[in-house]
Amino acid sequence: MTDATRDNPAEDLGRPHRPGPPVGAPVADRFVERGGSATRPPPGRRVAIHPRTLLLIRWIAVVGQAVAVLTVHDALGFEVALIECFATIGALALSNVWLWITAPPGPGRMAEGRAALVMAFDLVQLGALLGFTGGLANPFSILILGPVVVAATILSRRSAAWMIALATVIASALAVLHYPLPWGANPLLLPPAYILGVWTALAVALSFIGAYIWSVTDDSRRLSAALAETESALARERETSAVGALAAAAAHELGSPLATIAVVTKDLKAEVHPDDPLREDIELLHEQSQRCRDILVGLERRPLSDVGGRDKAADPYERLTLTGLIETAAENHVPERVEFAIVADEANEGSEPWVLRRPELLHGLGNLISNAGQFARRRVEIRLHWSTERVSVAVKDDGPGFAPQVLQALGEPYMSTRAGRDGHLGLGVFIATTLLESVGGRLVFRNRRGAEATVEFERRTLAQGAEKPT
């Protein structure tokens, strides 16, 4: 399972980069190049909003603006520039019709560029309407925050920043360019200091609320994407195990027919004279049937996974000793130049635990071992400790150790010194942590004359369903 283009999970641990081809890349660490840093969306990115949702929001805005203008003019009796106001509201309604006509069919999402333009238009339209109704003196000027909040929720950092800047420019223009505030016989003239205060409050709110909402939403998006990568990696691992199980099941089922063919060809070979023209064909048939049996025996000896309704508990290859599990997880993950050792603690209590061959364990431990192998100078040591209650696996290398600035954040998604370069997304350690924690593991990372990653389990949880076979 090696792939020269995979994400190197060792760098997700914040250690200095050491040149050299990756060895034994786990499936979960193969990522597609997405361009830029891990938090920057790729070109042509689609936003997490359907055009239908945006259409609904904008139609509500059209109705709300019309009702507000008519209420002020008719119910309150204030003079309002009706022509200008309804021309502005009509522009929003027409743009919504255009958006509905040009929206992509089906469940497709909007491209980010188009969504940003729509929201920018909404800001300009709202600014124009406020300009015709008093500018910043209008209490509804706080609605400038609306498009900015929506943009910060679904757009990239760059697009959201442009929206915040545009809203600030519009607020600045409204402070000096606007119609008088609709009022009674005596117009309400607010002092410049008050207008300056409103502008300052809006500018601060736009920057702070926009940045805060974008940060929280982006963190949620990144975590969701990382969990999706974890699920994908685990699914691929299970598919690989299922293929092996299917091959072993086929080997088991085909064994009897091939044995019958071998017996029949052997009898025919004994009955046919050596000079008979059929003798050579019979010998070839016997030889090939024997070869098929050898291939199937090799397949049947591979570890199996539960597939096709087979009873996993009755499958001896699904149970491994803790040492056997580590050896399986470490297969092809340690470079030949590195000495690899599995050491059982002398203070261990009782017999060595047996465990089920779970993809979560193999994949998670394989990632940690791969990290250690990539940055070890000469040796990778895996120390096993077990008692009647706890089991721990410590993966230690003699390399440079973890970078101090990221040691406390290990296990978080997108923790990589090369995020965004050569397809490195910084998900290796996050995937390992997530998979091992899903089966009851607790990880601790530290530096002890090199890097050490320790996984601790409750023995009862780890060994559940894996009692020693008789």
Side-chain angles (χ1 to χ4, degrees):
M1 291 188 184
T2 56
D3 187 339
T5 63
R6 75 177 181 94
D7 179 27
N8 186 347
E11 296 218 314
D12 302 338
L13 299 180
R15 288 184 266 178
H17 173 55
R18 177 176 299 175
V23 177
V27 174
D29 293 328
R30 299 178 184 177
F31 298 112
V32 178
E33 171 63 46
R34 301 186 182 183
S37 67
T39 60
R40 186 181 304 165
R45 171 181 176 268
R46 303 239 165 215
V47 297
I49 189 170
H50 194 278
R52 181 173 57 250
T53 304
L54 205 53
L55 283 166
L56 177 61
I57 294 174
R58 299 177 92 232
W59 281 125
I60 293 174
V62 169
V63 174
Q65 291 175 5
V67 170
V69 170
L70 290 176
T71 300
V72 171
H73 183 269
D74 296 334
L76 301 180
F78 294 153
E79 290 294 331
V80 178
L82 287 180
I83 296 177
E84 293 88 338
C85 289
F86 277 100
T88 306
I89 297 172
L92 179 59
L94 289 175
S95 70
N96 223 23
V97 172
W98 171 82
L99 180 62
W100 174 69
I101 294 174
T102 59
R109 304 287 171 170
M110 294 183 68
E112 180 179 0
R114 187 182 188 193
L117 287 176
V118 170
M119 294 178 195
F121 176 86
D122 292 346
L123 263 179
V124 173
Q125 187 270 343
L126 179 59
L129 185 62
L130 290 172
F132 295 133
T133 55
L136 293 188
N138 188 331
F140 288 96
S141 61
I142 192 66
L143 291 177
I144 291 178
L145 284 171
V148 172
V149 169
V150 175
T153 303
I154 65 174
L155 298 183
S156 66
R157 177 170 52 189
R158 177 177 297 180
S159 298
W162 278 110
M163 289 291 294
I164 293 173
L166 176 61
T168 305
V169 170
I170 291 174
S172 302
L174 290 175
V176 294
L177 301 174
H178 57 84
Y179 282 21
L181 180 68
W183 206 252
N186 299 318
L188 179 63
L189 299 177
L190 298 175
Y194 179 82
I195 299 299
L196 178 61
V198 173
W199 177 88
T200 304
L202 271 178
V204 172
L206 286 169
S207 300
F208 175 75
I209 295 177
Y212 177 79
I213 291 178
W214 183 87
S215 299
V216 172
T217 306
D218 183 67
D219 187 62
S220 176
R221 282 195 297 257
R222 294 169 63 204
L223 182 59
S224 297
L227 289 173
E229 290 284 0
T230 304
E231 292 294 332
S232 177
L234 184 58
R236 288 194 293 267
E237 185 75 17
R238 285 172 174 165
E239 288 173 2
T240 302
S241 298
V243 169
L246 187 60
H252 179 76
E253 297 297 330
L254 292 174
S256 296
L258 282 173
T260 302
I261 293 174
V263 170
V264 171
T265 53
K266 185 177 180 181
D267 292 342
L268 289 175
K269 182 179 178 181
E271 295 177 2
V272 174
H273 192 273
D275 295 332
D276 193 303
L278 295 177
R279 178 65 179 250
E280 184 178 349
D281 293 337
I282 294 173
E283 290 179 347
L284 179 62
L285 183 61
H286 180 75
E287 177 186 341
Q288 293 302 313
S289 66
Q290 188 62 43
R291 182 183 175 188
C292 289
R293 290 189 63 193
D294 293 340
I295 293 173
L296 293 178
V297 168
L299 289 174
E300 196 168 17
R301 286 177 180 173
R302 294 182 182 179
L304 305 180
S305 297
D306 188 17
V307 68
R310 299 187 62 178
D311 184 5
K312 183 178 287 190
D315 185 355
Y317 298 108
E318 281 297 334
R319 300 191 201 90
L320 298 170
T321 62
L322 183 60
T323 302
L325 179 75
I326 299 301
E327 290 175 346
T328 303
E331 187 177 3
N332 298 325
H333 285 171
V334 181
E336 294 182 358
R337 62 175 177 81
V338 175
E339 177 186 353
F340 176 70
I342 301 176
V343 180
D345 198 323
E346 295 180 356
N348 287 336
E349 302 175 7
S351 60
E352 182 175 1
W354 288 75
V355 297
L356 290 179
R357 187 181 181 274
R358 301 177 183 173
E360 295 91 340
L361 289 172
L362 292 175
H363 202 84
L365 291 172
N367 253 346
L368 297 180
I369 295 170
S370 179
N371 281 315
Q374 288 297 308
F375 289 90
R377 293 190 175 95
R378 291 182 298 274
R379 178 179 174 85
V380 171
E381 180 179 286
I382 301 181
R383 183 168 292 275
L384 308 180
H385 174 76
W386 61 81
S387 65
T388 56
E389 297 181 353
R390 314 292 296 179
V391 175
S392 67
V393 178
V395 182
K396 185 180 184 304
D397 64 66
D398 58 355
F402 303 126
Q405 66 270 22
V406 298
L407 184 58
Q408 299 301 320
L410 289 176
E412 294 295 322
Y414 304 103
M415 284 298 301
S416 174
T417 57
R418 296 194 300 171
R421 289 183 290 161
D422 302 324
H424 299 275
L425 298 184
L427 291 175
V429 174
F430 172 79
I431 289 177
T433 302
T434 303
L435 292 179
L436 292 173
E437 288 181 349
S438 71
V439 291
R442 187 176 67 87
L443 278 82
V444 177
F445 300 96
R446 54 193 163 196
N447 288 322
R448 285 189 172 181
R449 296 183 180 179
E452 181 178 284
T454 302
V455 193
E456 189 173 277
F457 303 90
E458 289 188 8
R459 178 164 182 158
R460 177 182 56 190
T461 302
L462 185 65
Q464 186 175 6
E467 293 79 11
K468 182 176 179 180
T470 57

